Structures are given as structure tokens and as C-alpha cells.
Amino acid sequence: MTQPPHDEPTADGPEELREQVEQTRHELGETVEEPAARTDVKARAQHKAVALKEQAGARTAELTEQARTKAAQAAHLVQDKLPDPVKDRCSAAAHHVKTTADQAAHLMRDKTPDQVRHTAERGAQAARDNRTTLIVAGGVAAATCVLLLRRRSGRK
């Protein structure tokens, strides 16, 4: 029979020997699985891709929120710095646009086919429903133009 290694004790009975054999098998399995896992390039690449996708999603959400916050701050800043005469002009322009749109809608009702008219009416209703947003956007655009013109002429 072979001699046991000098650094390991021998088993006292068959049950203890079975336990040692199972432990050795377990350790050998772990030893073999470790290099196999390192060489499974496809699985490692898939794991890395999933991790990168999760990171990208989190970063995208973070950057989107930052952009929304900065856009809101910029809009408030522009509104605060917008002179009252410009605000009044924007409001008057918005009123003029609404009046003109209403006149165009009446003319359109008289001259266009029903299907086309219904589609246009839905668009006009959407504009009326989002009037505040449109006015703010027009104000921001006007303020931006004023600031750009002032910079161009040398005034700040």
C-alpha cells in the first residue's frame, strides 16, 4: 500500500476516511473550477457587459436629472433678468399669435375638408392646452436674442 503524506494525519476509521475523501474532492473541484472560470472569456465578457450597461444606465439617469435641473435654473435666471418691456412684448406677441391662430382656425374650418380640419383642430387644441409652455419658450427665446444682441453690440 502507499504511504500517506507526512503532513496529513491518517484516518482512524472508514467514516473519517470518507469525510477526508469528500473534502479532498471538494478542494480539487474548486481548484479546477478557478482556472476554468478564468478561461471562460464569453461568460466574463457577458458579465462585464451587464455591469457596464447598469453603470451606463445609472450615469444616464444622473446626467439627465442634472440637465433638467440646469435647464430649469437657466430658464428662471433668464426670466429674472428679462426686462419688463421685453416680457410685455412677449405677452403681446403671444396674444397676437393666439388671435391670429384663432382667425386662421375659423378660416380653415370654412375652406378645408372635414378629415384635414379635425387633424388641424387637434393641433390647435394642443397649442392652447400648452399655452404657458409656449409663452415661456417664446420668452426664453426673446431673452436669448436680446442677450446675444447686447453682447454683439458690446453692452452687457
Side-chain angles (χ1 to χ4, degrees):
M1 257 173 103
T2 55
Q3 292 183 343
H6 297 290
D7 57 349
E8 290 186 26
T10 59
D12 289 337
E15 190 59 38
E16 191 176 334
L17 184 59
R18 283 187 193 101
E19 289 176 16
Q20 286 180 356
V21 168
E22 280 302 312
Q23 179 65 29
T24 303
R25 283 183 183 155
H26 179 72
E27 290 171 0
L28 181 60
E30 288 179 356
T31 304
V32 170
E33 286 175 10
E34 186 178 320
R38 286 187 198 157
T39 59
D40 189 358
V41 176
K42 183 178 178 181
R44 288 176 54 200
Q46 287 174 341
H47 179 72
K48 184 71 171 178
V50 168
L52 289 174
K53 185 177 178 181
E54 289 173 357
Q55 287 176 348
R59 185 70 174 142
T60 299
E62 179 183 328
L63 291 175
T64 300
E65 184 57 35
Q66 286 177 1
R68 283 186 182 136
T69 301
K70 287 185 179 188
Q73 290 171 345
H76 288 297
L77 181 64
V78 168
Q79 279 184 328
D80 291 345
K81 290 190 174 193
L82 197 63
D84 287 336
V86 174
K87 289 179 185 176
D88 293 340
R89 284 185 185 174
C90 288
S91 185
H95 177 70
H96 177 71
V97 167
K98 181 193 177 304
T99 303
T100 305
D102 289 343
Q103 290 171 352
H106 289 292
L107 182 61
M108 178 185 64
R109 270 187 230 124
D110 296 338
K111 303 284 182 182
T112 57
D114 287 344
Q115 185 177 5
V116 174
R117 190 175 66 231
H118 291 304
T119 302
E121 286 173 354
R122 285 194 305 265
Q125 185 61 44
R128 283 190 292 273
D129 291 345
N130 296 302
R131 184 177 301 144
T132 303
T133 305
L134 293 172
I135 291 171
V136 169
V140 168
T144 303
C145 290
V146 168
L147 292 174
L148 290 173
L149 289 172
R150 281 187 175 182
R151 280 193 180 168
R152 181 176 271 178
S153 66
R155 290 185 283 161
K156 289 189 177 183

